[in-house]
Structures are given as C-alpha cells and as structure tokens.
Amino acid sequence: MITHVVAKSLRQHALSTWVTAVSIAMATGLLLAVWAVKDQSLRAFSNVTGGFDAVFGPRGSELNLVLFGVFHMDKAPGTLPWADYEALQRDRRNIKAAVPIVVGDNFKNFRIVGTSADYFSVEYQRGRSLTLAQGRHFAAGAQEAVLGSFVASRLGLRVGDVFAPYHGLEYDPSQKHEAEYLVVGILRPSNTPADHVLWIPLLGAQNMPGHRAEAATDISAVLLQFNSAVQGPVFADQVNKGTRDKTVAMIAPTVTRFFQRFEWLRVVLGAMAALVALVGAGGILASLYNTMNERRRELAILRALGARRSTVFGAMVMEAAAISALGALGGFGVYALCASAAAHYLRQHTGVVIDPWETSAVFVVAPAAVVVAGAAAGLLPAFKAYQTDVAENLAPHS
Amino acid sequence: MPLLEIRNLVKTYQAPEGTPHTVLDLPQFHLDAQAEVALSGESGSGKTTLLHCIAGILAPESGAISLAGHSLTSATEADRDRLRARHVGYIFQTFNLLQGYTCLENVLLAMAFGRGTDAPFAQTLLGRVGLGDKLHHLPRQLSVGQQQRVAVARALANRPQLVLADEPTGNLDAANAGSALALIREMCVENHAALLLVSHDAAVLGAFSDRRDLGTINRAVARPEGGPL
C-alpha cells in the first residue's frame, strides 16, 4: 500500500516529479556517457591494431606513428628507405611479419594507402582477416585498387569503376593525379579503420606521377608483428634508444597513453555530471520540502487512519528514491542518444566501432548512486513528515 | 467490562505565552460495547481533544484510557497507531478525505493500515451509503453530503468496535444532517460498533437517549482556569 501512496503522490505532483526526473536523467546520462564511452573507446581503439603490435617509422612521435599507420588519421612524419624494410624482414628472431605502407594521396578525403598483399593476410582479430566481399585483390604493380567497405558505399564505387587519386591527405580538386586506378575488389566490413581506406599496390603509391622521383622506393612506415609479446617492448626500446632517425611505437600502450591524456576531461565531465546529479538531488529536496505545507494535512489524515510515523517517513524517502529511479531510467535514454552519437561519430571518422551497451559496472553503479543520492535528499522532507503533528493538522477543533 | 474506560484523564497544552493550559480533566468516563452516546459541550470545551486522546492521536499527561482491553496510555505511539487502525473509526467534521484518491481508494487505504484491504467489503460499504455507482469518483466530484457518506464508509472499513464522530453534521444543511446522522447510527448498529458522537447541535443531541455534557464532566471547564484540581 505504501507504494500505492507513493505512486499517487508522484501523480499528484506530476510536474515537479517530471522536471526533477528529467534533470536527474540528464545527469545520469552524462555520467554514463563520460565513463562508458571513454572506457569502450579505449577498449575499441586498443583492440584496433590491425593485428599488428607496433609501427616502425621515421623519428617522430609514437602517437603520430600509430595514428597514421593504424588509424589513418594523421600525417606521416617522413619516409623510410626501402633498406629499412628489408632489414626488418631479415630479423626473423624478433619479427614475425613486416608490412610496408605508403601514404600521401587521397580520393575525396578518403586516404589512399599503398601496401603489399601481405597486409590482407594478417589477422586483424583472432580468426579474422580482411576478406573480399566482391572482386579480387589488386595485382602488385598494376593500377588497381581494393576498397574498404565504408569508402565504397560512401562514394558509390563498385568493382569496375575507375578513379584518379588526389595528391595530399586532404582533398584538393586542383591536386588531381593523372593516373587512374581500377576498382578490382571491395572488402567485407571489418569495423576497423581499414574500411575507410582505398588500398592500392605499394609500387602504385610509390610511383604516383607527381611524387618525388628520388623517393620512389621510400615507404612511410612498416607495420610489425613480433614473434612474442615480450620481444616487442625490448625491440622498441633498442630502436628508440639506439637510433636517432627511427621510432618504434607499440600500438596498444600508445593508444592507452593517448587516452590517459584525456583523463582530465573525464574528471571534469564527471565532476560536471556529479554537480548536475547534486542539483537534481537538491531539486528533489526542494520540490518535496516546498510541498510539505500542502502535504501536512494529507500526512495527518494518513496518520489518523493508522499510518505510523515510520510509514510516512518511509513513504517520503521512497518517493524521493522513485523520482531518482525515474531519472536514472531516463538516464539510459539520454545515454543511448549520447553514446549512439559518439559511436556514429567514431565510426564515421575513424572506422572504429564501439558497442555502447557493452557490459560495464558503471551501468549499475551510476544509477544506484543516483537513486541513493535521491533517497538521501528525501531524508529532510521525510523527517518533516515524521514530525507532522496529527491533531494540529486535522483542524478544526471543537 | 466497558469497551472504553477513562480514569483521571488530564491533557494540557502549552499556551503561546508558554504557560500550561489544561483543556481536559476528566475523572471518569466509560462507554459500553455497541452503545450510542452523544457528547455535548461548548466550543473549546475539549471535545475534539477528548476524541483525539481516545483515538490515541494525542497522549494525555496523566490518567488511563483503556480501549477494547488495551491500555492506550501505557502503549507506545506505534502501538496506539495500530490500535486506532484496528479498533477505531473516525468521522471528521471536515471529512478529511484524501483528495487524490477515489471513494474506493479512500476506503481501501484505511483498510490497508488496519486489517488489510478487502475490496468487496469496501464496495459493500460504499454501496450501503448509496455510493455504489461512484466508487471511482474523486471527492471533488461529489457533493458535500456524498463526501460525508464516504467518510462514514471509511470509518467502518476496519470493522471497528468504536466509531468517533466529531461534529459529523457540522458542514451539512439541515436535510442532509438528518439523513447523515441516521446513516451513521444505522451503520454503527449494522456493524456492531459503539458510537461516540460529539456535537453542539441540539437537534442532533436530541436524537440520542444517552447524552453527556463535557462542560459538566470536564473539571478543566467546570472550574475557573488555575483553580484547584
């Protein structure tokens, strides 16, 4: 029956209930988004290594190497001589696989990457490698291209179509190359950055008309797979400390460090969300407290009918908790909107796919904390209800 | 053994200026099971205070109240709440219906705090007071007389042994007052409940054979304030 009393009261004070619940929903949604999206992004980005352990490139920032080599998002810091790639290939003791890449051109803002056929045979996740949905792989040395699924659908390119690359990593119509490439294959969606790339043979990228002739054998970077997990950091350390013009960036640790840079943002957003939650809890306190005058008679009637002080106290706390719970529930809706927008943005711009509903402790902890805070906000009004003098509020006296 | 027995009941209020003001000083009062008593008294003679003490809403400073074999004065507040819910039905002058609740819900709520909800009996009670077709009406959708009838049905919701009625006809016109009084008395008889009715209306009081004047039996009214007890 106490739940019935609470439900009635919520309905009787519908406007303040909804206004307060909505503010709590915003706070809960923000709280969930801040934690869950960050954690899931970190996990997703850390998993998107293309199956490689490290990027070997010219001396520069490790983050820059990972961003351009794995996520196709940044500029290459320079070039490497072909001899470096050959040396890596010979290092069978440490290196299981070495795949060269060359960047420098785009087609309508989608990056064109030159590589060898080996790139497609590496498993980007356990048991999964890039496979063709249509057509075949390009032939080494031919002016042929295999497109990532996202690029193909976004640009409406099909097998048999022809396109001409543009020089540079950003689309500039005046920078069109004369060479034309024939689309010979389209990859299946992999939910990795590879979906956003137009893949061409290494020689095609190296010898693109308009590129420096003396750099025709240079490459942008080499993606590495080590024989064992312990070899990677040791090898990276040797290169990074032992050479002046080379850098090895371990992909997963670099991504983690990158996300750690934004820890302050999480703290700020988390603090903001906590503040909004506090305001919401304050709203509960204010809305219940302000209606105490009109509720006193009702509480006195309940008491006169036999309700105990503890019953009316509990009803008020439960009402506060119910408003918070409504807000927390609504918070999942707000989170769904925020997280879907974030997931869409990430997919559009990086090809990385996050699952906003992947199991996370924050989905339990945050709503529970919000409900507890709301219930705590109901303690003061509940205490006022507890103190309600029945006789005084059952006027008139005769 | 009487249903209600009161001995040496004293209830004092704190006046605004801080001095104690005794409103009730009742040496003795009793009511038998299924009896029907009208209590008269001027305004301010402590009628409502007495009913509140009997219902366990107020705790007296001293004295003893025994209801249905239970001592109200030695019971804790929670026990008094329980006793009130189970043994006492209260009809207020201003009805005190919960405005957000339908007629049926008002009766069911009273049951919830007492012997547990019994929807068929709640509907029977409301049917008996002539509101069988208005079970789901809110109090504001009813006339004043109809609201009073809901209050009567609610007072009998827990099959109480004692019904307290505080100026139950005070807000009704003469025609409605007569029928409301008759209904209260009939319902108490039908449900084997004793009735202690407070009124200062001579017409109402005249309908009762057992009438007691609080102005006479309450020593706090009978003697001048501050006089010897």
Side-chain angles (χ1 to χ4, degrees):
Chain A
M1 183 48 78
I2 192 168
T3 51
H4 187 65
V5 170
V6 170
K8 275 278 176 192
S9 182
L10 289 175
R11 245 176 284 160
Q12 275 179 274
H13 306 97
L15 182 64
S16 65
T17 297
W18 283 114
V19 168
T20 316
V22 164
S23 71
I24 290 171
M26 304 295 279
T28 310
L30 190 59
L31 214 61
L32 291 175
V34 167
W35 258 270
V37 171
K38 191 263 181 185
D39 283 351
Q40 282 153 23
S41 301
L42 171 61
R43 208 171 306 139
F45 274 83
S46 300
N47 284 336
V48 176
T49 60
F52 296 98
D53 299 313
V55 183
F56 182 98
R59 178 49 59 112
S61 111
E62 293 178 26
L63 177 62
N64 173 219
L65 270 184
V66 170
L67 286 179
F68 104 83
V70 179
F71 296 101
H72 310 292
M73 288 173 71
D74 208 350
K75 288 181 180 174
T79 56
L80 292 171
W82 184 252
D84 283 346
Y85 166 61
E86 289 178 324
L88 290 167
Q89 271 205 314
R90 284 195 299 273
D91 185 1
R92 290 289 165 207
R93 192 171 60 87
N94 288 311
I95 293 163
K96 183 179 168 189
V99 178
I101 57 168
V102 175
V103 298
D105 297 303
N106 81 92
F107 181 64
K108 297 187 177 174
N109 273 331
F110 285 98
R111 199 163 284 204
I112 295 171
V113 179
T115 190
S116 67
D118 294 341
Y119 184 88
F120 302 101
S121 60
V122 171
E123 289 186 351
Y124 64 86
Q125 276 172 13
R126 187 181 290 273
R128 287 185 180 180
S129 53
L130 296 169
T131 54
L132 288 161
Q134 298 168 43
R136 60 173 174 80
H137 281 300
F138 52 68
Q143 291 193 185
E144 294 178 342
V146 169
L147 307 190
S149 59
F150 187 85
V151 184
S153 71
R154 178 55 69 91
L155 298 179
L157 290 172
R158 295 175 184 177
V159 172
D161 288 345
V162 170
F163 68 92
Y166 292 82
H167 187 62
L169 297 178
E170 284 172 15
Y171 177 53
D172 177 354
S174 67
Q175 297 293 311
K176 192 173 182 180
H177 285 298
E178 288 170 7
E180 287 190 329
Y181 280 77
L182 173 68
V183 178
V184 295
I186 292 171
L187 296 170
R188 286 184 201 285
S190 64
N191 291 336
T192 70
D195 295 347
H196 284 232
V197 173
L198 299 95
W199 301 96
I200 63 172
L202 201 59
L203 280 174
Q206 288 173 319
N207 297 314
M208 191 78 71
H211 287 188
R212 286 185 302 121
E214 64 273 23
T217 57
D218 285 358
I219 52 176
S220 303
V222 183
L223 303 171
L224 300 178
Q225 239 184 1
F226 294 105
N227 286 318
S228 75
V230 290
Q231 285 171 314
V234 175
F235 179 82
D237 204 43
Q238 281 170 356
V239 172
N240 293 337
K241 288 182 179 164
T243 68
R244 287 169 169 261
D245 57 346
K246 310 283 188 293
T247 297
V248 172
M250 297 300 295
I251 298 170
T254 304
V255 169
T256 304
R257 280 200 302 277
F258 174 64
F259 272 85
Q260 280 168 349
R261 284 189 193 180
F262 297 100
E263 192 57 28
W264 65 271
L265 186 63
R266 176 152 94 155
V267 171
V268 169
L269 288 174
M272 277 171 59
L275 266 178
V276 179
L278 268 179
V279 170
I284 290 179
L285 194 156
S287 69
L288 292 182
Y289 200 85
N290 288 341
T291 54
M292 280 312 291
N293 274 343
E294 66 181 80
R295 287 170 188 254
R296 265 196 198 103
R297 179 131 190 262
E298 206 164 276
L299 292 168
I301 295 170
L302 290 175
R303 293 287 326 280
L305 292 176
R308 297 179 187 184
R309 283 186 196 272
S310 56
T311 305
V312 294
F313 181 91
M316 291 297 281
V317 173
M318 199 185 277
E319 187 171 335
I323 295 171
S324 315
L326 274 175
L329 210 61
F332 280 99
V334 174
Y335 169 72
L337 288 175
C338 293
S340 301
H344 180 73
Y345 180 86
L346 282 175
R347 180 151 163 60
Q348 293 286 315
H349 289 83
T350 67
V352 175
V353 174
I354 62 166
D355 175 11
W357 298 108
E358 196 177 321
T359 315
S360 169
V362 76
F363 290 138
V364 177
V365 174
V370 165
V371 171
V372 169
L379 287 176
L380 185 62
F383 185 62
K384 292 288 273 184
Y386 183 89
Q387 287 183 311
T388 298
D389 187 303
V390 183
E392 239 176 51
N393 290 285
L394 285 176
H397 282 228
S398 57
Chain B
M1 184 180 165
L3 172 69
L4 171 70
E5 191 163 21
I6 296 173
R7 289 189 186 281
N8 301 318
L9 181 72
V10 175
K11 177 64 191 168
T12 304
Y13 285 119
Q14 201 79 8
E17 62 272 18
T19 53
H21 173 68
T22 302
V23 289
L24 266 184
D25 180 4
L26 202 57
Q28 202 260 336
F29 186 91
H30 76 273
L31 189 71
D32 291 328
Q34 300 182 44
E36 207 183 51
V37 172
L39 197 60
S40 63
E42 294 302 311
S43 187
S45 61
K47 300 189 296 291
T48 299
T49 301
L50 175 61
L51 294 193
H52 282 352
C53 286
I54 293 169
I57 290 172
L58 288 176
E61 268 66 47
S62 62
I65 302 173
S66 166
L67 175 66
H70 302 279
S71 168
L72 280 175
T73 35
S74 62
T76 62
E77 186 184 57
D79 285 339
R80 293 203 308 272
D81 293 337
R82 190 173 50 81
L83 284 170
R84 177 167 66 253
R86 294 175 75 91
H87 297 292
V88 180
Y90 209 139
I91 303 169
F92 302 93
Q93 180 180 349
T94 49
F95 320 140
N96 281 333
L97 297 177
L98 290 162
Q99 295 301 311
Y101 292 68
T102 64
C103 299
L104 185 60
E105 287 170 337
N106 264 285
V107 178
L108 287 172
L109 190 65
M111 288 175 165
F113 296 123
R115 297 173 193 275
T117 52
D118 180 350
F121 183 54
Q123 289 176 19
T124 302
L125 282 171
L126 285 164
R128 176 64 186 86
V129 298
L131 296 172
D133 58 341
K134 292 187 166 47
L135 298 178
H136 305 293
H137 281 55
L138 294 168
R140 65 169 180 273
Q141 296 168 319
L142 303 175
S143 69
V144 174
Q146 288 171 329
Q147 288 183 41
Q148 177 64 302
R149 284 190 260 158
V150 177
V152 172
R154 184 181 64 179
L156 290 155
N158 288 311
R159 305 176 199 271
Q161 289 172 272
L162 172 64
V163 171
L164 304 174
D166 189 359
E167 302 279 7
T169 58
N171 274 9
L172 304 177
D173 57 41
N176 271 317
S179 59
L181 181 63
L183 179 67
I184 291 168
R185 296 176 74 184
E186 284 168 25
M187 293 288 283
C188 286
V189 169
E190 286 170 20
N191 289 279
H192 314 293
L195 172 64
L196 178 59
L197 181 142
V198 158
S199 181
H200 63 268
D201 183 339
V204 172
L205 295 169
F208 287 78
S209 56
D210 189 348
R211 294 187 295 271
R212 302 180 200 176
D213 178 21
L214 202 56
T216 308
I217 59 176
N218 180 7
R219 289 192 302 196
V221 176
R223 71 166 192 275
E225 184 62 34
L229 292 175

